[in-house]
Amino acid sequence: MARKNAFYGQSGGVSAVINASACGVLETARRHSAEIGKVYAGRNGIIGALTEDLIDTSLEPDASIAALKHTPGGAFGSCRYKLKSLHEQRAQYERLIDVFRAHDIGFFFYNGGGDSQDTAHKVSQLGAELGYPIAGIGIPKTVDNDLAVTDCSPGFGSMAKYLATSLREAAFDLMAMSRTSTKVFVLEVMGRHAGWTTAACALAAEHEDDAPHLLLLPEVAFDEGRFLDKVEQALARYGHCVIAVSEGLKRADGAFFAASEVQDAFGHSQLGGVAPLLTNLIGARLGCRCHWAVPDYLQRSARHIASRTDVEQAYAVGCAAVEFAAAGRSGVMPAIRRLSDSPYRWDIVEAPLSEVANREKLLPAEFISADGFGITEAARRYLAPLIAGEAYPPYKDGLPDYVKLQNAPVPKKLAREFAV
Amino acid sequence: MARKNAFYGQSGGVSAVINASACGVLETARRHSAEIGKVYAGRNGIIGALTEDLIDTSLEPDASIAALKHTPGGAFGSCRYKLKSLHEQRAQYERLIDVFRAHDIGFFFYNGGGDSQDTAHKVSQLGAELGYPIAGIGIPKTVDNDLAVTDCSPGFGSMAKYLATSLREAAFDLMAMSRTSTKVFVLEVMGRHAGWTTAACALAAEHEDDAPHLLLLPEVAFDEGRFLDKVEQALARYGHCVIAVSEGLKRADGAFFAASEVQDAFGHSQLGGVAPLLTNLIGARLGCRCHWAVPDYLQRSARHIASRTDVEQAYAVGCAAVEFAAAGRSGVMPAIRRLSDSPYRWDIVEAPLSEVANREKLLPAEFISADGFGITEAARRYLAPLIAGEAYPPYKDGLPDYVKLQNAPVPKKLAREFAV
């Protein structure tokens, strides 16, 4: 096998640990210099490939690459950009081949969720379809945990740990205040279709009385009457009520709860999230004071409270992707396989991209409690190991010391520009 | 001095470290058994005193008391309840004396903000006014940092560290996404009148280009035109813009920005916070995609990322309060005095409650940058040491291991109930 350069791209919403995967890719590639030359990162993922906007990672010192393991965000820039099929947009694929050929790229690593695995899959087919053989390898990443085949997705465990920790802390606050002030606290969780992230909030509870008292999962249609009954029961029993709600909560007709008639002073709809709407509903019907939180990006970038398990898995899938490529594999993604719950043991196996791309793994029915407002013991067994262990970043002047790479561009070789 | 029991109460919004002050009070009182008998905590602060709802802290094992140092919230329950003057509500003061006398209480420790220092002050005057001598000692606590006399207030440093860390992390996320998706991120910060907490967000920036690019302080009237110009400039220069805004942002006429005409689907106003309103404004005028976060209680209860300096100060003021009392002092509060910025050195001095009660310390003009959208170097020198150092709680099963006390009630001795 002739030595070839590699392309690495980050795609979709970023996470606290996608850079740990990048670290795994880059460190492993440096050890495989017989097969892999330079690793060029796409500035903003596949957009960097299409526009020939490549970053020369070989110019980054080892210490900076190592620091990626504790740095959140996407060090090379991410993108929300989906390649259409070859038949629909042949020009894009031909452009990719032009760029890959110009920079002698024979390996394509794409780090993202279901859409990104689809991109990796399409690139892996460039040899058969258009005569440019390239190893296309996906690297799993999604805080939503909705990727198929892999037991869990890097990024999820850290967000789950952030959410469960934050909810536990806020519940301690609420318990102190509820006698004379706030009685209900609502935490809004990212994850539009799959309920994994909202389910993870339940880990905050050690005992039956502990918060959260109610989960509102996107897999369970919202029923206002049943919900308010449950809130009233919790208030009667505990004197306060803590709720975790998915941003993707749906009504019985399938419409998003948050896509309401809300208008702001400027006449624009879709002002707020689900949490403020829910607290307004509770306040109006039950007459109690409520607080709500929408942590938004904070929850998926909270590297300061990352799960050690998650960091290790994110790093491991990055390493494995390069090992797969160096071993001549293509059209695959390193998937995490669970060997046991407790003690938690896992390894990495090869998943065909065709089985991962464009699929969505929702919370299974057996993980949702009978009343729909909580999770089962089976879910708890699944979730618990994913938040285990701490992996603190280094601190400087009281703040996490995250790295910003130089991200020096690779000189362009193509005369033609390409608009995306 | 005859040995007397003590009362300890938590008041106002709780924090990540008010229990560290409680720990200081209880541990120090246990060492002063010659002067101080049992410490009775008020369940929900002064309400517990008025209703004779006392908690016998002597029943808690040392390990539980020690664990308060790393537990957020208010372990004995807090309250939002302000004692009126003796002339307005003499019955309340007579009731307090009845309860104190019944339980042989000669020391009153009250842990809270400006209102709470007023309560401690009023209780310290019970001897002169109503012939029941009692040592009234205040203990400073407020995430808002708006207490007078003391250089800083326990609770603030940890919230500042949480905010600066979270904003830095979210900015890393935004930088990765801004090419194809979100360009503006707005973080809403608690603190209705004083801008200390919003100012602390500026610590996230190491270099001039770093986020946050704009602060909206409650001390500076909001000017829509100037604000939008600044956002446009940041977008042109950095490709993205991060804003920290105080929940107490005001318009030029003094009205709260968030007290708008917003109505939700149920016809109720005051749906959201400032952040969603601001992002709607930016989206409408500048046409770019925005995200916003409202961490609410998360920011003041985030013990997992507490400032070690803050924890040490919270503990120290608790200890000092008891030392003051044991030395026969009354009508005072332990205040933090800054001896130098760098290296940061501080000690504790005695502040008369009359100078602390009911005052509010706003961000001084020399801490606000000339354009009103940032802070000065002087502010940075003041703020920086307050977030220094980490003080991680212990973890169990991937989550912070916080203590819940037994909070066993002291048997009531009074026949009469008292309604609050």
Side-chain angles (χ1 to χ4, degrees):
Chain A
M1 190 163 78
R3 180 173 131 128
K4 290 274 184 186
N5 295 321
F7 173 90
Y8 169 76
Q10 300 179 322
S11 176
V14 293
S15 79
V17 301
I18 184 174
N19 286 332
S21 293
C23 176
V25 167
L26 297 174
E27 290 188 347
T28 309
R30 288 181 180 194
R31 285 198 300 272
H32 275 283
S33 54
E35 304 94 349
I36 300 174
K38 290 189 173 184
V39 179
Y40 297 135
R43 200 182 303 272
N44 299 109
I46 194 74
I47 290 178
L50 288 166
T51 58
E52 204 194 355
D53 192 356
L54 303 175
I55 291 163
D56 188 350
T57 69
S58 74
L59 300 176
E60 304 291 343
D62 286 347
S64 294
I65 300 303
L68 287 177
K69 204 169 175 179
H70 64 248
T71 296
F76 306 108
S78 187
C79 66
R80 294 202 180 278
Y81 190 86
K82 195 163 155 63
L83 280 185
K84 296 196 174 161
S85 73
L86 182 59
H87 310 293
E88 288 171 282
Q89 282 186 315
R90 190 181 180 95
Q92 290 209 327
Y93 291 89
E94 286 169 347
R95 170 69 176 185
L96 282 180
I97 290 173
D98 287 347
V99 172
F100 293 159
R101 186 175 281 128
H103 294 278
D104 199 25
I105 291 170
F107 303 97
F108 179 87
F109 299 104
Y110 213 49
N111 203 166
D115 284 356
S116 311
Q117 304 309 324
D118 179 64
T119 299
H121 188 224
K122 283 172 174 153
V123 169
S124 74
Q125 295 171 318
L126 286 180
E129 301 274 355
L130 294 174
Y132 184 85
I134 182 167
I137 312 275
I139 305 172
K141 177 279 320 170
T142 169
V143 294
D144 294 342
N145 203 41
D146 60 357
L147 270 176
V149 186
T150 187
D151 180 69
C152 61
S153 297
F156 171 67
S158 293
M159 181 150 134
K161 189 183 184 89
Y162 170 90
L163 288 169
T165 297
S166 298
L167 189 137
R168 176 177 286 186
E169 291 178 332
F172 269 72
D173 193 307
L174 181 71
M175 280 187 289
M177 304 308 297
S178 61
R179 168 79 192 267
T180 58
S181 176
T182 310
K183 303 231 184 303
V184 174
F185 178 75
V186 179
L187 178 68
E188 178 171 326
V189 177
M190 275 181 157
R192 227 149 170 65
H193 301 292
W196 298 100
T197 46
T198 305
C201 293
L203 294 176
E206 259 192 307
H207 307 289
E208 207 214 318
D209 296 358
D210 290 346
H213 306 104
L214 293 173
L215 304 182
L216 294 175
L217 300 162
E219 287 89 352
V220 181
F222 181 68
D223 178 324
E224 186 175 303
R226 287 188 63 232
F227 168 69
L228 290 171
D229 284 351
K230 284 279 179 182
V231 176
E232 272 196 303
Q233 285 165 29
L235 287 172
R237 194 159 168 186
Y238 312 118
H240 64 278
C241 179
V242 175
I243 301 160
V245 58
S246 165
E247 63 175 354
L249 183 67
K250 292 178 196 71
R251 298 179 186 277
D253 64 4
F256 283 118
F257 184 81
S260 66
E261 312 92 287
V262 177
Q263 291 212 334
D264 71 2
F266 315 104
H268 299 95
S269 58
Q270 206 201 353
L271 167 76
V274 179
L277 282 169
L278 264 189
T279 54
N280 268 42
L281 172 67
I282 296 166
R285 300 294 162 84
L286 306 182
C288 58
R289 193 175 148 89
C290 306
H291 263 242
W292 52 268
V294 178
D296 192 63
Y297 282 170
L298 273 56
Q299 67 199 283
R300 72 180 196 194
S301 59
R303 180 60 185 80
H304 74 271
I305 183 133
S307 151
R308 197 179 65 226
T309 303
D310 190 35
V311 174
E312 287 170 359
Q313 292 180 337
Y315 182 75
V317 293
C319 298
V322 176
E323 298 290 354
F324 287 176
R329 308 290 301 145
S330 180
V332 295
M333 178 192 87
I336 295 156
R337 179 173 62 170
R338 182 180 299 230
L339 302 171
S340 68
D341 288 330
S342 179
Y344 179 52
R345 293 190 308 115
W346 56 278
D347 64 5
I348 287 183
V349 295
E350 204 178 279
L353 284 174
S354 58
E355 292 178 19
V356 183
N358 298 321
R359 308 235 177 138
E360 198 172 46
K361 184 174 68 179
L362 300 185
L363 209 56
E366 66 267 27
F367 277 12
I368 301 172
S369 64
D371 69 1
F373 292 108
I375 60 168
T376 61
E377 276 308 307
R380 196 171 284 274
R381 276 194 303 276
Y382 167 80
L383 293 167
L386 305 182
I387 66 165
E390 291 68 59
Y392 301 119
Y395 278 72
K396 186 182 150 196
D397 298 333
L399 291 169
D401 191 14
Y402 297 138
V403 70
K404 282 188 188 171
L405 302 181
Q406 304 163 60
N407 283 350
V410 177
K412 295 200 181 197
K413 298 192 174 185
L414 299 177
R416 196 164 62 92
E417 303 263 313
F418 188 88
V420 293
Chain B
M1 190 163 79
R3 181 172 131 130
K4 290 276 184 183
N5 294 322
F7 173 90
Y8 169 76
Q10 299 178 323
S11 176
V14 293
S15 79
V17 302
I18 185 173
N19 287 332
S21 293
C23 176
V25 167
L26 298 174
E27 290 188 348
T28 309
R30 287 181 181 196
R31 285 197 301 271
H32 275 283
S33 54
E35 303 94 349
I36 301 173
K38 291 189 173 184
V39 179
Y40 297 136
R43 200 181 304 274
N44 299 107
I46 194 74
I47 290 178
L50 289 166
T51 59
E52 204 194 354
D53 192 355
L54 303 175
I55 291 163
D56 189 350
T57 69
S58 74
L59 301 175
E60 305 291 342
D62 287 346
S64 294
I65 299 303
L68 287 177
K69 203 168 175 181
H70 64 247
T71 296
F76 306 109
S78 187
C79 66
R80 293 202 180 277
Y81 190 85
K82 194 164 156 62
L83 280 186
K84 295 194 177 163
S85 72
L86 181 60
H87 310 291
E88 289 171 282
Q89 282 187 318
R90 189 181 180 96
Q92 290 208 328
Y93 291 89
E94 287 169 346
R95 171 66 176 189
L96 282 180
I97 291 174
D98 287 348
V99 172
F100 293 159
R101 186 175 281 128
H103 295 278
D104 199 25
I105 290 170
F107 303 97
F108 179 86
F109 299 105
Y110 212 48
N111 203 166
D115 285 358
S116 311
Q117 303 309 324
D118 179 65
T119 299
H121 188 224
K122 283 171 174 152
V123 168
S124 74
Q125 295 172 317
L126 286 180
E129 301 272 355
L130 295 174
Y132 184 85
I134 183 166
I137 312 274
I139 304 172
K141 177 279 320 170
T142 170
V143 293
D144 294 340
N145 202 41
D146 60 356
L147 270 176
V149 186
T150 188
D151 180 70
C152 61
S153 296
F156 170 68
S158 293
M159 182 152 133
K161 188 183 184 91
Y162 170 91
L163 288 168
T165 298
S166 298
L167 188 138
R168 176 176 285 186
E169 292 177 332
F172 269 72
D173 193 306
L174 181 71
M175 279 186 289
M177 305 308 296
S178 60
R179 169 80 192 266
T180 59
S181 176
T182 310
K183 302 232 184 299
V184 174
F185 178 74
V186 178
L187 178 67
E188 178 171 326
V189 177
M190 275 183 158
R192 230 153 167 64
H193 301 290
W196 299 100
T197 47
T198 305
C201 293
L203 294 176
E206 258 192 305
H207 306 289
E208 207 215 319
D209 296 358
D210 290 346
H213 306 103
L214 294 172
L215 305 182
L216 294 175
L217 300 162
E219 287 89 352
V220 180
F222 181 68
D223 178 325
E224 188 176 300
R226 288 188 63 231
F227 168 70
L228 289 171
D229 284 350
K230 284 279 180 182
V231 176
E232 272 197 301
Q233 286 166 28
L235 287 172
R237 193 159 169 186
Y238 313 118
H240 64 279
C241 179
V242 175
I243 301 160
V245 58
S246 164
E247 64 174 353
L249 183 68
K250 292 177 197 71
R251 298 180 186 278
D253 63 2
F256 282 119
F257 183 82
S260 67
E261 313 90 289
V262 177
Q263 289 214 335
D264 71 1
F266 315 104
H268 299 94
S269 57
Q270 207 202 353
L271 167 77
V274 179
L277 283 169
L278 265 190
T279 54
N280 269 42
L281 172 66
I282 297 167
R285 300 294 161 84
L286 306 182
C288 58
R289 193 176 148 88
C290 306
H291 263 242
W292 53 267
V294 178
D296 193 64
Y297 282 170
L298 274 57
Q299 69 199 282
R300 71 181 197 194
S301 60
R303 181 60 186 81
H304 74 270
I305 183 131
S307 151
R308 195 180 66 225
T309 303
D310 190 36
V311 174
E312 286 170 0
Q313 291 181 337
Y315 181 75
V317 294
C319 298
V322 175
E323 298 290 354
F324 287 175
R329 309 290 301 146
S330 180
V332 295
M333 178 192 89
I336 295 157
R337 180 173 62 170
R338 182 180 298 227
L339 301 172
S340 69
D341 288 329
S342 178
Y344 181 52
R345 294 189 307 116
W346 56 277
D347 65 4
I348 287 182
V349 294
E350 205 178 278
L353 285 173
S354 58
E355 293 179 18
V356 183
N358 297 320
R359 307 235 178 139
E360 199 173 43
K361 184 175 65 178
L362 301 184
L363 208 55
E366 65 267 26
F367 278 13
I368 302 174
S369 64
D371 69 1
F373 292 109
I375 61 169
T376 60
E377 276 308 308
R380 195 172 286 273
R381 277 195 301 277
Y382 167 80
L383 293 166
L386 305 182
I387 67 166
E390 291 67 59
Y392 301 119
Y395 278 72
K396 187 181 150 197
D397 299 333
L399 290 169
D401 190 16
Y402 298 138
V403 68
K404 283 188 187 171
L405 302 180
Q406 307 163 57
N407 282 350
V410 177
K412 295 199 181 196
K413 297 191 173 184
L414 299 176
R416 196 163 62 94
E417 302 264 314
F418 188 88
V420 291

